[in-house]
Amino acid sequence: MNAIIAEITPLAAAPPASRQRWIERFAGLGFAAPAFILLVLTNLAPLAALAFLSFTNYELGALDFSFVGLKNFGTALQDPVIRRSITNTLLYVAIVVPGGVLISLLVAILIHQRKRTRSLYEVIYFLPVTSTLIAMATMWQFLLHPTLGLINQVLKGLGFAETAFLSEPRLVIPTLAAIGIWQLVGFNMVLFLAGLSAIPRDLYEAVDIDGASHPIDRFLKVTWPMLGPTTMFVTVTTFITAFKIFDTVAVMTRGGPGGASEVLLYAIYLEGFQYFHMSYAATLTLVFLAFTLVFSVLQTFVLDRRVHY
Amino acid sequence: MAGLTLRGIHKAFGDTSVLNNIDLDIADGEFLTLVGPSGCGKSTLLRIIAGLESQDRGSVSIGGSSVDHLRPHERRIAMVFQNYALYPHMSVFDNIALPLTMTRLNLFERLPLLRHLSSRRRRVMGEIAREVRAVAEQLRIETFFHRRPGQLSGGQRQRVALGRAMVRHPQAFLMDEPLSNLDAKLRVHMRGELTELHARLGVTMIYVTHDQIEAMTMSDRIAVMDHGDILQLGTPADVYERPATTAVAQFIGSPAINLFPAHVGPSGQVELLGRTLPIHVHNAPTPELTVGVRPEAMRIGGGPCVVTCRFRRRENLGSESILHFDLVASPEVAVLCRVDNNMPIPDGEVTLAFKPRDCHVFDHNGRRIEIESRMAASRGVRRASEVR
């Protein structure tokens, strides 16, 4: 008995500090491992594969491939389709981001002041978010039809000429942008409504007593600054969503007319899954990711300095 | 600076009436406190004066002219909120300057970017900066002009809120529980500062609080409110020494007043727990009475006015003690007695004595009844000395 105790004691009396540190280290790694493994499997490994592919000439179904260095990137720079896609995407983003943010802010402010009808309006504006964009795109295509569509019927009734929204090269991106805004407003509005509810009421009262009774003053002195963090979040997410424009193009225009609605993600889809140029598609995807990253970082840093939390 | 007049102010939220025909005259330069338990309507009354809430009936006049149709800023009053309501995205300087920029610059001169086109704005901003600096020096906050409210302590924020109120030279200051977010020590300090500020500025102040100590220490007059009515309006000494109702008696004074059930004897004498007290009442509507005696008026000992109690526990406050007793006749009635710390702790049953002139007698509705005691002469002398 005594012998057993004697054998056990040295272990139990081992320097507790270092043992404790080991246990903590392994426990910490153990807890972090599932998230880390998932991150590697779903994000980092595909990204690495993507980067690897972009330096090869691999085509879908090909049996072998060789390294071509930066050739794919060179091709992308020369490719008129890609240039056009980037320009179109940027134009789309330039319309959707301000439109999607400002319109949803306006809608949120208007709805916030409603008392009984507020939830009704919330549902109405939120409906597009819950619907499938593919189905909605088909619906929009029908609405926008040059002769049969409801919108053109209304325009005609008002005395305007028939407009082929989706087959007029100058109009196609703004039209798609309008649909994109329609889809986004409900979601952004909900975020802005949450932000508006968090503004303490006595700030409005203080500003009322201090003389800012004009709605513009109230907005500039209280609402807008207090919504800073929400606005920043909404802007960044809207930007990323807008940059990913794909569904409406794929369903409604297929890049037409004459490439006027070719966008980056649609070009990647065509290269990768229609023409099977996997390596080239991988290169374009890297370009796409770089754009998103640069803009997000830029926005975060520029806005972050102006936002009060 | 101006006095205020409230006439017949009535306010209800839905079916709940929160203010019932409030009449109140506040003199120019007076420090008036609205005090009462939460939900008594004091904050609503203040917000009606400020114009943040509209009354259902009645009128508010400031400086002799009605302000019922005016928006809050046109009433030329300043308000300090419970949680200060400082603009968190603005510096201390901008917070204090805001009331001035709002009134002295036009909309164009206040717009972002465009405002830099105005040359008048630069000149006006110079004047505003001078005035803000003057106020800040009075409150000793000029050293953190460029910080934001989030970087300040509670007391500093309180000063900034005061500065924002002072900078406009308002006709009256309205304060809605301005000290309740501060810790106990700072609260005592700010109490003193506010009193001094009032003396220095000489401006009318209407102060809302649920803390009777703040009301007693700072005010010229106190309006004790409950359930939308002003129960009593008077100087702190008046309210403490001659509470108009049991509710006022219980609310003012700490620890709270002892209340005993009593009734009128055959010859008009007050009978308390089987003992006849040397006090007469003449105009009691019913025989049921309530007798109130403040804990500081009770002594352990004998005499004509006593209650028999059993000792429960002692609360040591350092300089003095609060002794807790149960009434022997009805143990559910707690009796408090305030004594010096060097008093020996009693054991078991004791009699607590008080003077007839320290008794407050209330009728069955809780309204005060004037009493006559044998020591009326001495009481008369005491009151005469107070009048001075």
Side-chain angles (χ1 to χ4, degrees):
Chain A
M1 187 70 191
N2 277 345
I4 295 172
I5 292 172
E7 262 174 61
I8 290 171
T9 355
L11 239 181
S18 68
R19 246 175 72 103
Q20 190 67 27
R21 217 176 314 136
W22 275 106
I23 290 172
E24 274 176 14
R25 188 167 296 171
F26 277 108
L29 286 176
F31 281 122
F36 179 72
I37 290 167
L38 269 181
L39 190 69
V40 168
L41 285 181
T42 60
N43 281 355
L44 297 179
L47 198 63
L50 196 75
F52 177 79
L53 277 180
S54 67
F55 295 111
T56 68
N57 63 355
Y58 177 72
E59 300 208 349
L60 195 65
L63 294 177
D64 62 348
F65 59 86
S66 51
F67 284 97
V68 294
L70 291 171
K71 180 166 166 280
N72 282 329
F73 291 91
T75 316
L77 279 179
Q78 308 286 322
D79 194 337
V81 175
I82 300 309
R83 284 195 189 173
R84 205 158 54 212
S85 300
I86 292 177
T87 323
N88 284 341
T89 310
L90 290 179
L91 176 63
Y92 179 85
V93 168
I95 301 173
V96 169
V97 171
V101 173
L102 295 179
I103 292 175
S104 53
L105 175 63
L106 186 70
V107 170
I109 289 174
L110 292 177
I111 290 184
H112 188 64
Q113 288 163 355
R114 306 271 98 212
K115 292 217 164 66
R116 264 175 299 168
T117 49
R118 178 174 161 174
S119 45
L120 176 76
Y121 282 115
E122 277 176 25
V123 170
I124 292 174
Y125 280 100
F126 200 70
L127 271 178
V129 184
T130 59
S131 55
T132 323
L133 192 55
I134 302 278
M136 289 300 111
T138 316
M139 181 208 76
W140 273 108
Q141 198 169 22
F142 184 71
L143 281 176
L144 292 167
H145 191 280
T147 48
L148 305 172
L150 185 66
I151 292 173
N152 266 312
Q153 304 273 3
V154 171
L155 282 181
K156 232 189 307 182
L158 292 173
F160 291 98
E162 259 175 30
T163 315
F165 289 100
L166 295 176
S167 31
E168 172 71 42
R170 274 185 311 119
L171 285 181
V172 65
I173 286 287
T175 306
L176 291 175
I179 298 173
I181 292 173
W182 168 83
Q183 237 266 330
L184 269 169
V185 159
F187 186 66
N188 290 350
M189 172 205 74
V190 169
L191 294 173
F192 275 125
L193 277 176
L196 282 171
S197 322
I199 301 178
R201 199 178 60 148
D202 46 7
L203 280 186
Y204 285 108
E205 295 180 342
V207 98
D208 223 1
I209 285 182
D210 288 341
S213 46
H214 196 286
I216 293 179
D217 282 319
R218 289 163 70 89
F219 178 77
L220 287 177
K221 294 294 173 203
V222 179
T223 315
W224 181 244
M226 295 303 285
L227 281 180
T230 316
T231 311
M232 185 176 123
F233 179 76
V234 168
T235 309
V236 172
T237 53
T238 304
F239 172 81
I240 292 171
T241 316
F243 216 78
K244 291 193 304 194
I245 158 89
F246 173 75
D247 339 34
T248 38
V249 172
V251 174
M252 296 168 71
T253 66
R254 294 171 186 279
S261 67
E262 274 165 342
V263 290
L264 200 47
L265 218 57
Y266 190 68
I268 295 172
Y269 161 77
L270 285 184
E271 288 294 340
F273 299 102
Q274 299 289 317
Y275 314 146
F276 302 133
H277 298 147
M278 278 320 248
S279 56
Y280 191 43
T283 312
L284 296 183
T285 309
L286 279 187
V287 172
F288 171 79
L289 286 179
F291 261 104
T292 327
L293 188 73
V294 166
F295 273 93
S296 305
V297 168
L298 208 68
Q299 283 179 344
T300 309
F301 278 99
V302 171
L303 291 178
D304 204 36
R305 268 186 297 146
R306 293 161 170 256
V307 167
H308 164 80
Y309 290 97
Chain B
M1 277 194 284
L4 274 92
T5 311
L6 309 183
R7 282 289 170 266
I9 299 287
H10 186 89
K11 175 79 182 173
F13 291 118
D15 293 336
T16 327
S17 164
V18 283
L19 290 173
N20 312 317
N21 289 315
I22 300 286
D23 290 315
L24 192 58
D25 289 290
I26 302 156
D28 188 4
E30 185 174 10
F31 195 124
L32 180 108
T33 303
L34 301 172
V35 67
S38 46
C40 70
K42 54 191 191 298
S43 285
T44 310
L45 187 59
L46 194 77
R47 294 165 57 80
I48 286 175
I49 298 173
L52 295 172
E53 205 94 60
S54 59
Q55 66 270 32
D56 297 338
R57 288 199 301 276
S59 76
V60 180
S61 314
I62 300 178
S65 48
S66 165
V67 295
D68 296 324
H69 57 288
L70 295 180
R71 297 202 51 130
H73 72 273
E74 295 166 330
R75 300 186 176 198
R76 294 188 43 228
I77 39 90
M79 186 148 169
V80 178
F81 293 82
Q82 179 171 358
N83 43 14
Y84 319 130
L86 298 175
Y87 310 113
H89 53 283
M90 293 183 194
S91 67
V92 166
F93 178 87
D94 289 338
N95 262 284
I96 300 178
L98 187 98
L100 298 183
T101 55
M102 278 298 153
T103 44
R104 295 188 195 169
L105 297 175
N106 61 34
L107 184 60
F108 173 75
E109 291 163 336
R110 297 197 298 265
L111 284 179
L113 302 177
L114 285 179
R115 63 186 178 205
H116 298 296
L117 299 175
S118 160
S119 60
R120 193 184 86 93
R121 180 178 182 275
R122 265 192 298 280
R123 188 165 42 85
V124 176
M125 282 311 283
E127 289 167 22
I128 291 176
R130 259 196 309 284
E131 288 175 45
V132 170
R133 217 164 281 281
V135 166
E137 273 163 27
Q138 285 190 57
L139 294 164
R140 298 189 304 283
I141 50 178
E142 70 276 17
T143 45
F144 39 86
F145 253 178
H146 300 291
R147 281 198 232 163
R148 288 188 174 172
Q151 300 163 304
L152 303 181
S153 72
Q156 290 167 335
R157 280 182 221 181
Q158 174 74 72
R159 287 213 182 85
V160 177
L162 280 172
R164 190 175 66 181
M166 283 163 61
V167 77
R168 321 165 49 191
H169 301 291
Q171 304 200 65
F173 273 74
L174 310 180
M175 305 202 186
D176 191 1
E177 311 224 5
L179 303 185
S180 57
N181 280 7
L182 301 177
D183 64 63
K185 200 173 167 189
L186 199 55
R187 193 151 51 208
V188 174
H189 176 75
M190 286 306 289
R191 225 154 63 192
E193 283 206 9
L194 277 180
T195 315
E196 280 169 25
L197 189 71
H198 174 245
R200 200 163 65 230
L201 301 176
V203 66
T204 315
M205 284 195 184
I206 305 175
Y207 187 98
V208 161
T209 181
H210 62 266
D211 182 346
Q212 56 99 17
I213 298 180
E214 282 175 21
M216 292 293 287
T217 50
M218 299 164 72
S219 331
D220 294 327
R221 278 195 306 164
I222 298 178
V224 186
M225 294 184 67
D226 202 12
H227 300 299
D229 292 301
I230 293 182
L231 301 179
Q232 187 169 6
L233 176 66
T235 63
D238 224 14
V239 175
Y240 175 80
E241 284 168 19
R242 294 169 46 76
T245 68
T246 44
V248 175
Q250 280 176 300
F251 196 81
I252 301 291
S254 172
I257 195 167
N258 299 305
L259 293 177
F260 305 109
H263 61 270
V264 189
S267 59
Q269 278 194 311
V270 175
E271 291 186 3
L272 173 68
L273 304 167
R275 283 198 177 79
T276 305
L277 304 186
I279 306 171
H280 286 77
V281 292
H282 292 303
N283 40 9
T286 62
E288 286 89 56
L289 298 176
T290 303
V291 170
V293 184
R294 296 212 177 266
E296 45 274 31
M298 295 204 123
R299 293 285 169 270
I300 297 171
C305 301
V306 288
V307 285
T308 313
C309 299
R310 186 172 290 114
F311 177 72
R312 280 257 305 283
R313 63 192 164 88
R314 174 181 127 154
E315 261 180 304
N316 190 345
L317 303 183
S319 61
E320 57 188 10
S321 283
I322 311 290
L323 303 182
H324 292 247
F325 297 91
D326 288 334
L327 215 52
V328 169
S330 45
E332 74 278 1
V333 179
V335 185
L336 272 65
C337 173
R338 198 173 188 157
V339 295
D340 286 343
N341 252 353
N342 49 21
M343 281 283 290
I345 298 299
D347 194 23
E349 284 185 16
V350 287
T351 54
L352 297 180
F354 46 88
K355 295 184 180 125
R357 67 151 194 249
D358 289 328
C359 286
H360 305 276
V361 180
F362 304 95
D363 68 13
H364 67 291
N365 284 325
R367 273 194 284 271
R368 182 181 188 84
I369 303 177
E370 291 309 319
I371 57 169
E372 285 173 24
S373 72
R374 278 191 207 145
M375 297 164 199
S378 70
R379 182 177 174 174
V381 170
R382 205 166 74 98
R383 287 206 53 81
S385 67
E386 268 160 27
V387 169
R388 163 186 65 85

